[in-house]
Amino acid sequence: MTSPPPFLPAASVMDLAPVVPVLVVEDAADAVPVARALVAGGLPGIEVTLRTPAALDAIREISRAVPEAVVGAGTVIAPDQVAACAAAGARFLVSPGWTDVLLTAMRASGMPFLPGVSTTSEVVALLERGVREMKFFPAQAAGGTAYLRSLAGPLPQARFCPTGGIGPDSAAEFLALPNVGCVGGSWMVPAEAVAARDWGRIEGLARAASYLTAS
């Protein structure tokens, strides 16, 4: 019997690539070809949000059929979801926010996780609990690069993956910040490309995103 793959082939979710694609999967049948296109384009870390009934099946199928992908679960908001994601084959967890109950469940899973924050107090509270890597959400609405830049001075030990309202034109500005490890976004998986099954277009958009660097 082969051992399951380690949760991450890198020190952190943020070290996989400059961009983590955020997928909202409506049809689990699309999950594998989309994941293959993203990986071929240089984006192995893939966050499947738990916003649709197809999400867990999508995680399961990607985990089974695309072993070179590092598939994680996003929009994790309840402890029972943590167990379901682990059973489906998720290798990391992302939440839009956090509570102590949710944080305990994510930590107990053994998986890497990025709890969501949007205020200084939430960042400080996580640092008190030994968590230094976080999702900043909703990034643009919560203050964007100006807000994150202001946190770098007093809280340099916190490292962020900003997500929410970020596109190819703004990603490099976020990546230029010293406290940003990567960004999350969905622009490389446009709905019309999925509907048309245009996996080549998705691969091309992923490749462009994989080359993003700080501006």
Side-chain angles (χ1 to χ4, degrees), residues 151-167:
L151 293 181
L155 301 170
Q157 63 272 55
R159 191 177 184 217
F160 301 97
C161 173
T163 305
I166 298 174

Side-chain angles (χ1 to χ4, degrees), residues 66-83:
V66 195
E68 61 272 34
V70 181
V71 61
T75 321
V76 178
I77 59 172
D80 60 338
Q81 291 177 322
V82 173

Side-chain angles (χ1 to χ4, degrees), residues 65-165:
V66 195
E68 61 272 34
V70 181
V71 61
T75 321
V76 178
I77 59 172
D80 60 338
Q81 291 177 322
V82 173
C85 292
R91 294 166 68 182
F92 65 91
L93 304 169
V94 183
S95 69
W98 67 277
T99 65
D100 277 320
V101 172
L102 180 59
L103 193 68
T104 297
M106 291 194 294
R107 200 192 298 270
S109 74
M111 281 184 274
F113 58 90
L114 297 175
V117 297
S118 60
T119 69
T120 306
S121 294
E122 291 171 320
V123 176
V124 171
L126 282 177
L127 291 173
E128 283 184 350
R129 290 158 175 78
V131 178
R132 287 176 165 73
E133 295 193 338
M134 312 166 195
K135 170 178 177 173
F136 179 59
F137 176 83
Q140 295 287 24
T145 55
Y147 193 92
L148 284 174
R149 188 178 294 110
S150 71
L151 293 181
L155 301 170
Q157 63 272 55
R159 191 177 184 217
F160 301 97
C161 173
T163 305

Side-chain angles (χ1 to χ4, degrees), residues 172-190:
E173 186 179 356
F174 279 93
L175 291 168
L177 299 176
N179 53 353
V180 168
C182 68
V183 301
S186 58
W187 73 85
M188 68 293 301
V189 191

Side-chain angles (χ1 to χ4, degrees), residues 46 113 176 197-198:
I46 300 170
F113 58 90
R197 304 181 70 81
D198 190 348

Side-chain angles (χ1 to χ4, degrees), residues 32-44 46 66 68-69 199-200 202-208 210-211:
V32 167
V34 168
R36 285 177 175 153
L38 292 170
V39 170
L43 300 181
I46 300 170
V66 195
E68 61 272 34
W199 315 130
I202 292 171
E203 180 180 340
L205 290 169
R207 184 170 294 106
S210 75
Y211 290 136

